[in-house]
Amino acid sequence: MKRRTPLRRLVLIFVACLLTPACGSLPRDPEGTLQRVQGGRLRVGLVENPPWVVHTEGEPAGAEVELVRRFAAELGATPEWHRGGEQRHMEALERFELDIVVGGVTDSTPWAKYVGLTGPYFEEGNASGNTRRKERHVMAVAPGENGFLKRLEEFLARERPRVKELLEREAAR
Amino acid sequence: MSAETPFPDFKLPPEKEAALRRARRLEWWTIFFLLTIIAVVGLTMGMSQTMKAMWVEDTVSLIPSAAFLLGVYYRRKPADEQFPYGYRRAVLIAFLAGSVALFGFGLYILGDSVYKLAAAERPNVGTLEIFGRRVWLGWLMIAALAYSVVPPFVLGRMKLPLARDLHDKALQTSATMNKGDWLAGLAGIAGILGIAYGFWWADSAAAGFISFEIVKDGYADLRNSVAQLMNKRPTDVESKEDDPVVDEVRTALERLAWVREARVRLREDGDTLTGEAFVVPRDEQHILKRLAEAHEAAHAVDWRLHDIQIVPVPSLGRQQDVKDGA
């Protein structure tokens, strides 16, 4: 069977690829979000939703605002805050005019079809006290920017244990 | 009613029995591996259009294997009072239903992929935590697809010679399906690699290619099953060329000294061939003995021939005239 050799080679390449750092830079973003943001601006859409996003006189506050601030710092990026409604922000995200939208978005958002969502990084019982149906909090990114999405998910996975603390600090204010 | 079968029963030649046993074993393995593939692909599916197409492809490819096993089971049931022609054709119904499903699902995924390409919908592929490390789901998809390539590649290649040996179209279809499976798997890997390198359209393009293959398979199967239900004349195992067996039976009959001319009509009944042979005798002497002789001569042409009726007629009549243009 001659035909099996190229197949085996393909598998080998694949395994080798998994182990080399070259694949660490994959997936790439079709619009190059991650590359552009590093050392540049991070355009953030804020939808007021305490305790996640709180508008104040000066700099915005809230648990998710704090998370985004840390994420931006990690990328060496300067966050650029845009306040507004969810509809406007999500549409801007779809057109790649924003990089990230926060504001207590959960994985049941109807925008899931149009933008990219991170995996849930925080869970709580929903507002009506129903603990069976949890609210799983996510952040929204531009559609198909998988490299940026991966980087953000890695960041959120690391921050996960500290989210509760952030929320408590927010409640104490 | 006696316990004996009221109508003649088909016995596979002993040397073919071994091949059939092997084919059945291969089909059971195919079903086992396909189920594991369906599970693995389903678990890593996510939002990818390619993975959705692959999952459908793998699920519907259970049909030919299941149809073959079902067919072999029913084939063994002897004819009875209620089904005097036996149960051999039962599998054609399963086959027709399967090909309609294949064709329909293929069209659906094809339409969906074209729509997603036109609407420029971009696939989001996130990460998953495995053993404390964040792994991009795309790599898991590729691993799942790589796994899905191997069993159909090996099993399909093992089935092809058996299908030829047993002249079994159901087995042939399942082998062809396996070929489609591993081809689609490779196309799927290309699609996911495309996403990895930032070509968002690669996903829907690969899915389009895969579903086009599904539609093609579905259409071919649909044509075949309808043709068999309509008693089309026998063809070779790939359904491409006419089987010479019809002419061979006619020649064998015309070689008998008392036969002036003969005309043969055959159809496929699963793996067997059945039908009628009309013979015009030169005279009517010893007609019963001669018919028994003709019966034997006809059946000796090919092991697949079964239950051929020899019908003595005064002339071949109009049908023959029309065909010969006489």
Side-chain angles (χ1 to χ4, degrees):
Chain A
M1 286 236 202
K2 245 186 187 166
R3 300 274 298 268
R4 230 180 270 182
T5 325
L7 197 71
R8 200 175 293 161
R9 197 172 301 154
L10 204 81
V11 173
L12 263 176
I13 290 171
F14 171 67
V15 172
C17 192
L18 273 183
L19 300 173
T20 54
C23 277
S25 67
L26 296 177
R28 283 185 203 150
D29 297 325
E31 302 293 324
T33 300
L34 185 59
Q35 244 190 334
R36 178 173 46 75
V37 163
Q38 280 170 325
R41 300 173 305 149
L42 178 67
R43 299 167 303 175
V44 189
L46 298 178
V47 180
E48 176 147 44
N49 187 356
W52 305 99
V53 172
V54 185
H55 289 345
T56 61
E57 289 291 304
E59 283 287 295
E64 282 185 334
V65 171
E66 186 51 37
L67 284 172
V68 170
R69 219 173 249 136
R70 287 179 194 174
F71 181 54
E74 196 182 282
L75 295 177
T78 318
E80 189 183 281
W81 311 110
H82 297 265
R83 300 175 187 203
E86 192 172 15
Q87 168 101 11
R88 223 187 75 197
H89 277 345
M90 290 295 187
E91 279 172 6
L93 206 55
E94 237 191 308
R95 292 192 301 265
F96 305 99
E97 288 165 12
L98 285 176
D99 299 316
I100 184 167
V101 169
V102 291
V105 181
T106 68
D107 67 348
S108 61
T109 176
W111 289 99
K113 263 190 74 180
Y114 306 98
V115 299
L117 296 182
T118 64
Y121 70 93
F122 184 76
E123 293 178 5
E124 60 175 357
N126 75 5
S128 59
N130 182 349
T131 47
R132 295 251 310 275
R133 235 195 78 216
K134 292 222 166 134
E135 292 207 333
R136 289 185 287 266
H137 285 270
V138 300
M139 290 186 185
V141 299
E145 298 294 279
N146 291 316
F148 183 69
L149 177 68
K150 176 170 176 259
R151 189 68 185 263
L152 179 58
E153 285 192 338
E154 283 165 351
F155 166 79
L156 288 174
R158 263 182 278 123
E159 290 293 318
R160 211 183 162 116
R162 288 190 278 277
V163 174
K164 207 157 183 177
E165 182 192 317
L166 274 175
L167 284 170
E168 276 158 11
R169 211 161 75 196
E170 211 48 55
R173 281 204 325 173
Chain B
M1 247 343 283
S2 70
E4 299 268 311
T5 52
F7 302 101
D9 210 12
F10 180 72
K11 275 268 176 292
L12 209 59
E15 73 270 17
K16 305 282 177 190
E17 277 289 353
L20 183 64
R21 260 198 305 278
R22 205 169 129 72
R24 285 179 60 197
R25 214 167 32 236
L26 285 178
E27 291 296 11
W28 279 115
W29 278 115
T30 306
I31 289 184
F32 167 77
F33 277 115
L34 277 178
L35 288 177
T36 64
I37 289 168
I38 290 165
V40 169
V41 171
L43 279 175
T44 54
M45 184 152 56
M47 243 185 84
S48 163
Q49 190 70 7
T50 301
M51 294 300 277
K52 203 158 95 185
M54 271 310 292
W55 193 80
V56 169
E57 154 96 16
D58 290 328
T59 307
V60 290
S61 51
L62 281 172
I63 294 166
S65 296
F68 174 77
L69 287 170
L70 217 72
V72 171
Y73 171 78
Y74 274 110
R75 222 181 254 180
R76 299 181 160 204
K77 278 185 81 158
D80 54 34
E81 287 294 322
Q82 290 306 310
F83 291 93
Y85 291 95
Y87 291 83
R88 309 192 77 88
R89 294 173 75 79
V91 68
L92 286 180
I93 300 160
F95 205 48
L96 178 66
S99 52
V100 169
L102 200 61
F103 190 61
F105 274 126
L107 279 183
Y108 166 73
I109 301 268
L110 185 61
D112 203 30
S113 303
V114 169
Y115 169 79
K116 289 214 158 136
L117 266 182
E121 259 184 47
R122 303 188 177 197
N124 298 300
V125 181
T127 60
L128 196 73
E129 197 168 297
I130 299 173
F131 305 123
R133 277 195 64 181
R134 284 263 140 195
V135 180
W136 188 54
L137 260 171
W139 302 135
L140 297 181
M141 291 176 182
I142 290 177
L145 289 176
Y147 170 64
S148 83
V149 164
V150 183
F153 183 82
V154 176
L155 289 167
R157 269 165 181 263
M158 288 167 87
K159 284 180 210 168
L160 273 178
L162 289 176
R164 231 167 280 137
D165 188 23
L166 289 166
H167 210 275
D168 197 307
K169 287 191 176 172
L171 193 59
Q172 171 79 21
T173 306
S174 122
T176 315
M177 187 85 221
N178 290 148
K179 192 178 163 203
D181 284 348
W182 68 260
L183 266 176
L186 290 185
I189 290 176
I192 306 294
L193 276 178
I195 302 181
Y197 280 92
F199 306 112
W200 59 268
W201 44 264
D203 185 43
S204 286
F209 174 78
I210 295 168
S211 49
F212 185 71
E213 286 295 311
I214 303 178
V215 170
K216 240 174 62 186
D217 282 352
Y219 180 68
D221 286 355
L222 197 60
R223 269 187 61 154
N224 273 336
S225 57
V226 169
Q228 284 198 41
L229 279 170
M230 286 190 63
N231 293 336
K232 195 186 178 197
R233 60 155 296 157
T235 54
D236 69 339
V237 74
E238 275 158 341
S239 301
K240 281 191 188 128
E241 277 160 39
D242 286 348
D243 198 318
V245 72
V246 181
D247 286 330
E248 282 165 19
V249 173
R250 185 175 54 85
T251 317
L253 289 172
E254 286 178 347
R255 214 174 283 143
L256 298 171
W258 57 273
V259 176
R260 183 180 299 148
E261 49 182 345
R263 192 178 146 72
V264 178
R265 183 167 74 180
L266 295 179
R267 64 172 186 264
E268 293 181 32
D269 247 6
D271 60 338
T272 66
L273 304 173
T274 186
E276 297 82 28
F278 302 94
V279 291
V280 183
R282 293 186 195 279
D283 58 66
E284 291 174 26
Q285 281 175 39
H286 316 296
I287 193 70
L288 286 181
K289 209 186 105 207
R290 284 172 165 181
L291 281 180
E293 185 190 9
H295 190 263
E296 203 149 298
H299 281 85
V301 168
D302 196 299
W303 63 271
R304 293 170 291 151
L305 292 164
H306 167 58
D307 206 5
I308 312 274
Q309 307 305 311
I310 311 287
V311 187
V313 286
S315 81
L316 288 179
R318 254 187 70 225
Q319 253 187 320
Q320 180 77 358
D321 297 342
V322 170
K323 204 185 167 197
D324 293 349

